[in-house]
Structures are given as C-alpha cells and as structure tokens.
Amino acid sequence: MGETRYDKNWDITGHLSDDGKKVYDKDWNLIGHISDDGKTLFDKDWTPTGHVSDDGKIIYDKDWNVTGHVSDDGKTIYSKHWDVVERSHEPSRAWYSRPHTRSYSSGSSDSGWAGWLIGAIIVLAILYFIFAFLVPIAILNLAAISLIAAFARKEESRFYLLMSLTGLVYLVLDTQFGWLSNHLVENFGVSKQTIDYIFYGNVVTGLSSTFFMIKRWLEASHPISDTKLPDYTWKKLLYAPKRGWYVALLLIVPAAALYLLHNGLPSIVIGRAHSTLAKVSTNLMKNLDNQVTVRTFFTEDLPAPYSNNRRALLDRLNTYKACAGANLQFEVIDPTGPKGEKEAQQNGIMPVQVQVEKNGKVELKRAYMGMVISYEGKNEVFPVIQNPSSLEYDITKAIRRLTSRIREKIGFLSGHGEPALSELSRVQQLLSKQYQLTTIDISRGKPVPADISALIVMAPTQRFPETDKYQIDQ
C-alpha cells in the first residue's frame, strides 16, 4: 500500500501511493500529486506547490524559496533551519516535496516562525502591561497594600510597616514630580480623580502605619508592669505612670493628620500637586523650540485663601518645569518695597486690596498676585491669579499663543467716527508684538473677515446702521 511517513516522534503523518505519484494524508485522503520525474509537486487540483533539487537534497516552495533539506539517505526531512520534521523507513525523493508537509510546503516554515512571533508579541504585551501599568499602580498604593498585608498576617510586622511608610514617602515625592502619576494619566488614560483617590487613601494608611510603628516602639521601650489594671489597652494607657507624653502623642498624631487634611491637602488639590498635566499641555511643553520664562509677582505671608493660590501656582509651575526641562524657567518675586512694586507694575501687574486679620481686627493690605509669561520678546500678563482650578488651561493657552508662528488678527472698526489706527501709536506699540492689526470697514454690508480673532470698536461718534449692527453681531 505504498510508503508511510512519520513525524519526528514517529507518529504517522501520511502515505505515498505504490507508483509514487499520489500523496495522501494519514487517513488516506488525496491531498496532492507528484510529477513523473519527481521534481515537481502539485496539490490535488494539480496546482504547483513545490520543487526538489536535481540531487534531491534541497526542497523549495513554488517560488523556489528554500523550505527544507533531505538527509543523504533520504529517510529524514528537515526544515530550512535543519529541525527534524518527518522520517521514513525507506527513502523516497518524490515524497520530499509533499504539499502538506510542514518542512517544505509554501510558507509553512514561515508560518511556524509567525506563530513564535505572535507568541513573543503577546508575552511582551503582557510584560509591558505588568511593568508599565500594574507595577506603577502597586507602587502608588504601596502604603495601603503593606498595611493590609500586616493585618492579614495578624501581626504588626515591622517590615510591612516600614514598607507602608516607604510608600507614603514616595507618594509625597510623586505629588511634587509626578513620576508615575503622569505616566498613568498620559499613557493609560487614568483619570486625575482616580489619582486623587489613590493619594488620599494612601496618605491615611501611611499615617496609620506611622502611628503603629510609634506604638510598637513605645510598648517595647516602656512596657506596662501594673498587672492590677484592667486588661484594656486604653485604660492601661491612661492609668500607667509616666505616660502623659504618650497620651499627648496619641492626640498629636490625629491632630497633625487633621491639620494636614484641612490645610495642606486642599492646596494640593487646588494646585494639582500630584503633577498631572493634560496630554495637550505635555505635548506643548515637550515640543518647545525656545525657552519660556515665567515671572510670578506674589506677595508673601498672605492669609488663606490667597496663600493657597500662591502654593497652587508654584506647584503647577513645577509641573510644567518637570515636563519642559530647560525650556521653561520661572522666577518667584516678592514685590516688597518701592523697587519691587515698580517692577511688578512695569510688567502689567497692579496691586489689589485683600482683607487680613491682625490683632483681632480686619485690615486691608496691598498685595500683588500676578504672573507674566515671556517668549521671544512677547508677553502674556495675568494681573491677578484668582481661580487656581483653571491654571493649567490658562497657562497652556498663553504659552500656545506665544509660541505660535501664526499671529492672530485684531480688527479696528472704522466708518463711524472711530480714531484711525495710525492715531493709536501706543496701542499699536503694545499689541503689534503679538497680533496683526488691521482696519475693518463693514459699510455697504461688507462682512467682518473670517480671520479676525477680535474686533475693537473704539470711541465711535456716529450711529450704527442696522446693517452694520447685524455684521458685528455675526
């Protein structure tokens, strides 16, 4: 019944007819034909699928690409990389190019490599997900994870408590530099609100771990020897001698935590001290061609909420600095004294009056709370910082406007007794550095050009026709 072929483990893979002209699978289903000279192989529909060299030692696909090799005795078939694919008890050169054999069918060897490649890609994707997403999440939650592990083992292990405290320290650093939080927001779309929840949850658990560590140290260094007291920790604590300072510590730790939550964290929330910038802001900072300079004119020692605004501004600028590197520099100026006030006013920052409490009385204090962003001789002025929640939007918008190579157009309306643009030399001097200035005439129903970003109607002396009002409204 012809020749039988086996794989490398000697499992049957197919058969050959007695005349060596027909190829069957292991169930004797016809799958191909072989030419009379044994050098060309066809599928069952007589479509060429492969070739064999004249010496019978090299196997090719239909395009004459090497797909396999044959041993000298003709009993073993190898892939093109010399891996054993098929065996036989008897040599048969015609069999070497059988179309269903993995060693030489068109693209069969490549498909094996494709499988390995797909598997490698899947493994790399899993490793990337683990190290780029799960590991950063675990590090940010190290304080909570360690404390949970300590309770799960039913012991206040020093190792776990130290790990929790380490997680708290890292979290505080991350709020300033945004190492992992920025990575998660930008590359995995983690919301800033989620980063907030992670921050608050781990601050609480980290402080708890700190308390347990102090408690362990105190219990070890000052054991309670009064066995007559009830077996109740808090009563022993209150009645134990020389423990007044311990009680004070138990009160100080929660008080410090409440103070931090009440005074420190709101400023972090307002200023986004965990340093997460939106993707558009990050891209803008990374693609700066030249240096952006920011000067803040903010009076020190202001009461809340103004002091929170100042911290929020500095936190946000540190975030931009961390992203832009040397292409962003900022300077914090306390405009105290005549010289400082003069510099602030020369930069367009005017003083404001704020209420402060002094000696039980409410007084008005002269203060500066502004900022100037400069780029290649152009400036964007923020006279007063009042809404920290929009700082990122305002700063990014200002930097984008300054760094844009296309200047926006400002139109000055004419035809109603307005002063000519040539008469407004001071206005031209101030605006022409950042904008294109042009005169707009809308008489006879002419529309306002579409490329005008702002239309200024300055001191008209004549009435506006209804058609002109309509064009302005459009």
Side-chain angles (χ1 to χ4, degrees), residues 329-363:
Q329 301 293 332
F330 70 89
E331 180 181 7
V332 182
I333 302 172
D334 180 14
T336 302
K339 185 177 180 180
E341 291 197 23
K342 182 179 180 181
E343 183 180 1
Q345 294 175 18
Q346 286 176 343
N347 284 276
I349 310 298
M350 296 296 125
V352 294
Q353 299 291 329
V354 298
Q355 290 185 343
V356 297
E357 185 176 353
K358 188 175 181 180
N359 298 326
K361 296 182 180 179
V362 176
E363 300 177 356

Side-chain angles (χ1 to χ4, degrees), residues 180-406:
L180 293 181
S181 55
N182 273 347
H183 164 72
L184 292 173
V185 170
E186 294 173 11
N187 297 315
F188 289 93
V190 178
S191 68
K192 297 179 181 180
Q193 187 177 20
T194 301
I195 298 296
D196 285 337
Y197 291 148
I198 291 174
F199 177 78
Y200 290 127
N202 283 272
V203 164
V204 172
T205 53
L207 290 174
S208 301
S209 299
T210 305
F211 168 76
F212 286 126
M213 288 187 66
I214 295 174
K215 177 175 174 290
R216 281 174 53 87
W217 174 75
L218 289 172
E219 288 177 348
S221 59
H222 298 80
I224 299 174
S225 58
D226 190 350
T227 57
K228 295 181 180 181
L229 292 175
D231 188 18
Y232 185 60
T233 304
W234 294 102
K235 286 186 177 182
K236 283 189 176 184
L237 174 64
L238 294 174
Y239 288 97
K242 300 180 181 179
R243 289 296 179 87
W245 59 275
Y246 191 1
V247 177
L249 182 61
L250 291 175
L251 297 176
I252 290 172
V253 170
L258 290 174
Y259 180 84
L260 178 63
L261 289 170
H262 182 68
N263 294 284
L265 294 183
S267 66
I268 293 176
V269 175
I270 294 174
R272 307 293 296 176
H274 32 67
S275 303
T276 52
L277 286 177
K279 192 169 185 178
V280 63
S281 302
T282 302
N283 292 338
L284 180 62
M285 291 299 98
K286 290 182 177 179
N287 294 312
L288 288 175
D289 296 327
N290 210 337
Q291 187 180 88
V292 173
T293 302
V294 182
R295 286 173 294 166
T296 65
F297 297 86
F298 226 110
T299 303
E300 294 183 355
D301 301 323
L302 290 178
Y306 311 110
S307 58
N308 289 341
N309 293 351
R310 183 178 186 275
R311 287 197 298 269
L313 175 60
L314 297 184
D315 288 339
R316 180 51 67 199
L317 291 177
N318 274 312
T319 306
Y320 277 88
K321 169 66 177 174
C323 188
N327 279 336
L328 188 140
Q329 301 293 332
F330 70 89
E331 180 181 7
V332 182
I333 302 172
D334 180 14
T336 302
K339 185 177 180 180
E341 291 197 23
K342 182 179 180 181
E343 183 180 1
Q345 294 175 18
Q346 286 176 343
N347 284 276
I349 310 298
M350 296 296 125
V352 294
Q353 299 291 329
V354 298
Q355 290 185 343
V356 297
E357 185 176 353
K358 188 175 181 180
N359 298 326
K361 296 182 180 179
V362 176
E363 300 177 356
L364 292 178
K365 181 176 180 179
R366 184 183 176 95
Y368 291 85
M369 298 182 292
M371 171 177 63
V372 180
I373 303 177
S374 304
Y375 180 82
E376 296 183 351
K378 298 177 291 184
N379 298 322
E380 282 281 343
V381 180
F382 296 80
V384 181
I385 304 297
Q386 293 180 319
N387 185 16
S389 62
S390 66
L391 272 175
E392 180 179 351
Y393 172 82
D394 295 333
I395 294 174
T396 298
K397 182 179 179 181
I399 295 177
R400 173 179 285 177
R401 187 184 298 118
L402 290 172
T403 56
S404 175
R405 299 303 178 185
I406 301 175

Side-chain angles (χ1 to χ4, degrees), residues 5-14 75-79 82-89 98 101-103 116:
R5 300 296 295 184
Y6 307 87
D7 63 13
K8 63 180 180 180
N9 298 317
W10 292 99
D11 295 321
I12 296 176
T13 60
K75 294 182 179 182
T76 305
I77 297 176
Y78 305 91
S79 70
W82 292 96
D83 298 317
V84 175
V85 176
E86 287 196 6
R87 304 175 187 273
S88 175
H89 294 296
R98 189 161 58 88
T101 304
R102 290 174 298 170
S103 62
W116 280 102

Side-chain angles (χ1 to χ4, degrees), residues 103-239:
S103 62
Y104 49 82
S105 62
S106 178
S108 60
S109 180
D110 292 336
S111 65
W113 282 102
W116 280 102
L117 181 61
I118 293 173
I121 292 174
I122 293 174
V123 171
L124 289 175
I126 294 174
L127 291 176
Y128 174 77
F129 178 76
I130 292 174
F131 288 101
F133 181 74
L134 295 182
V135 171
I137 287 289
I139 292 175
L140 288 176
N141 288 280
L142 183 61
I145 293 172
S146 300
L147 188 61
I148 292 172
F151 281 107
R153 292 176 60 88
K154 298 181 179 180
E155 61 179 23
E156 295 170 7
S157 168
R158 179 175 298 179
F159 170 77
Y160 290 116
L161 295 180
L162 283 173
M163 289 295 292
S164 183
L165 185 58
T166 302
L168 176 62
V169 172
Y170 175 81
L171 195 67
V172 172
L173 294 175
D174 193 88
T175 61
Q176 301 300 319
F177 301 103
W179 295 319
L180 293 181
S181 55
N182 273 347
H183 164 72
L184 292 173
V185 170
E186 294 173 11
N187 297 315
F188 289 93
V190 178
S191 68
K192 297 179 181 180
Q193 187 177 20
T194 301
I195 298 296
D196 285 337
Y197 291 148
I198 291 174
F199 177 78
Y200 290 127
N202 283 272
V203 164
V204 172
T205 53
L207 290 174
S208 301
S209 299
T210 305
F211 168 76
F212 286 126
M213 288 187 66
I214 295 174
K215 177 175 174 290
R216 281 174 53 87
W217 174 75
L218 289 172
E219 288 177 348
S221 59
H222 298 80
I224 299 174
S225 58
D226 190 350
T227 57
K228 295 181 180 181
L229 292 175
D231 188 18
Y232 185 60
T233 304
W234 294 102
K235 286 186 177 182
K236 283 189 176 184
L237 174 64
L238 294 174
Y239 288 97

